[in-house]
Amino acid sequence: MKVQIFDVKHGACAMITGPNGKRLMIDCGYREGADPWFPSSAFAGQRIEMLVVQNLDEDHVDDLPYLWKEVEIGAFYSNPSVDATALKAMKTQGMDEGVAKAYDMLKQFGPGLTGWRADLGGVGVRAYFNRYAEPFATTNDLSVVLFVTYGRFSILFGGDIERPGWLQLLQIPSFRARLQAVTAIVGSHHGRASGKCDELFDYLTPDIAIFSDDAKQYETQETDAWYRHRVNGIPDYSRPARAPGVPAMRHVLTTRRDGTITIDVSAFGRYLVTPERSTDPLEELNTAMRARALIKT
């Protein structure tokens, strides 16, 4: 299995590719600026078995109008309790292009699953969500939280869920049980402070945390240390060893620093994490001389 967490600044877009080559996309945010990246362009003319929208906010669906036109999408999934009427009620300030497209799709197809559930060749995908009703009447706490599992490897995508939403999900026994097997967590709300939940980490101790976010501008983005103390870390062979036979460790990876992050997972649970960009400025000058990958066995 391959997991790709694309660098879309303050947004979200990830791809899961199963051993059979079938693909599931999680959100469809894009990156503007001097070095733009759009999923509708990157995968134009190709097929994606399923698109899962974790959060019905613009930064998670900016590219939806174009992705829907340019890419063959076999199925679409969003929070089953959020229909077009509910989405409109939450968007009192209006809708930008991506959310407007999501609204049209919900109006046409209804919420939840449209199409057939994707077969990714042994990859398990399990969704949890809070239902639209008081007190959950904002898009963040109505995020679809996803567990993606292959062999002994499990990655948790938190969407933009915040502490109240986490606490509600923690009341579900199967949710708590799945947390215990999590290897990597994609920090909710782009790793920002509102997505932190101490009680969540009573049940999971992942190896790494990953943030999909833009350059630091706000105090709410200063959460690296909080996550670092709650994950095990993995060896980072791109940096000098701390001592002979003792590798440097990485605990938190971010798209703002590492670019697109790729995780290759074997059927036996071994995985390799490869950042697009070097984490060491000196290494950027001499990438041919040093390994860039992070590995965990």
Side-chain angles (χ1 to χ4, degrees), residues 48-61:
I48 295 169
E49 298 304 314
M50 179 180 287
L51 171 65
V52 177
V53 172
Q54 285 196 275
N55 185 342
L56 289 164
D57 282 337
E58 189 68 20
D59 57 321
H60 292 250
V61 294

Side-chain angles (χ1 to χ4, degrees), residues 2-297:
K2 177 180 287 187
V3 180
Q4 295 166 288
I5 300 169
F6 299 111
D7 177 14
V8 290
K9 304 303 181 184
H10 182 76
C13 184
M15 184 74 84
I16 311 297
T17 304
N20 59 0
K22 301 295 179 63
R23 294 178 297 194
L24 177 148
M25 181 177 283
I26 303 171
D27 292 328
C28 52
Y30 61 64
R31 182 178 72 235
E32 294 184 297
D35 182 27
W37 184 88
F38 299 86
S40 59
S41 298
F43 300 101
Q46 301 180 41
R47 178 178 172 86
I48 295 169
E49 298 304 314
M50 179 180 287
L51 171 65
V52 177
V53 172
Q54 285 196 275
N55 185 342
L56 289 164
D57 282 337
E58 189 68 20
D59 57 321
H60 292 250
V61 294
D62 321 68
D63 204 32
L64 183 57
Y66 308 97
L67 190 76
W68 195 252
K69 288 193 296 185
E70 301 296 335
V71 177
E72 181 184 355
I73 298 174
F76 177 81
Y77 182 83
S78 61
N79 186 322
S81 74
V82 179
D83 59 15
T85 301
L87 180 58
K88 187 174 183 178
M90 289 187 285
K91 296 297 180 181
T92 57
Q93 303 301 312
M95 303 179 190
D96 289 329
E97 194 173 13
V99 174
K101 178 62 178 178
Y103 171 80
D104 290 341
M105 291 170 63
L106 289 173
K107 197 170 181 180
Q108 179 179 358
F109 302 119
L113 178 63
T114 298
W116 297 100
R117 190 175 298 275
D119 176 5
L120 300 181
V123 175
V125 181
R126 181 66 166 86
Y128 288 84
F129 55 89
N130 293 310
R131 301 196 67 82
Y132 176 68
E134 290 297 336
F136 299 116
T138 62
T139 52
N140 284 356
D141 279 327
L142 293 168
S143 291
V144 173
V145 173
L146 286 180
F147 293 88
V148 177
T149 304
Y150 184 60
R152 292 177 296 170
F153 179 91
S154 178
I155 183 168
L156 173 62
F157 290 84
D160 275 6
I161 196 168
E162 299 181 351
R163 177 178 162 79
W166 282 127
L167 293 177
Q168 182 68 21
L169 293 181
L170 283 171
Q171 297 182 33
I172 305 172
S174 65
F175 181 79
R176 297 196 302 268
R178 287 179 183 274
L179 289 174
Q180 297 175 33
V182 167
T183 313
I185 181 171
V186 179
S188 60
H189 209 180
H190 314 279
R192 299 195 175 196
S194 61
K196 297 191 306 183
C197 179
D198 288 302
E199 292 83 352
L200 185 71
F201 286 87
D202 290 340
Y203 298 93
L204 83 162
T205 310
D207 291 336
I208 51 172
I210 299 170
F211 302 161
S212 177
D213 200 9
D214 204 350
K216 288 186 179 180
Q217 304 174 58
Y218 309 105
E219 186 177 347
T220 56
Q221 292 174 275
E222 297 292 347
T223 62
D224 295 41
W226 188 89
Y227 278 92
R228 188 179 301 115
H229 288 96
R230 289 164 174 79
V231 301
N232 295 317
I234 57 177
D236 181 353
Y237 296 112
S238 72
R239 294 188 292 172
R242 293 180 294 176
V246 182
M249 302 290 285
R250 282 292 300 275
H251 297 78
V252 178
L253 291 94
T254 67
T255 57
R256 63 177 167 250
R257 179 183 182 186
D258 299 294
T260 292
I261 297 162
T262 301
I263 308 174
D264 291 290
V265 186
S266 78
F268 302 102
R270 304 178 74 179
Y271 65 96
L272 180 74
V273 181
T274 307
E276 179 185 37
R277 292 196 291 267
S278 167
T279 59
D280 184 339
L282 293 176
E283 186 181 339
E284 293 178 0
L285 301 176
N286 198 11
T287 55
M289 299 293 291
R290 304 173 68 182
R292 294 184 53 182
L294 311 170
I295 190 168
K296 174 78 175 182
T297 59

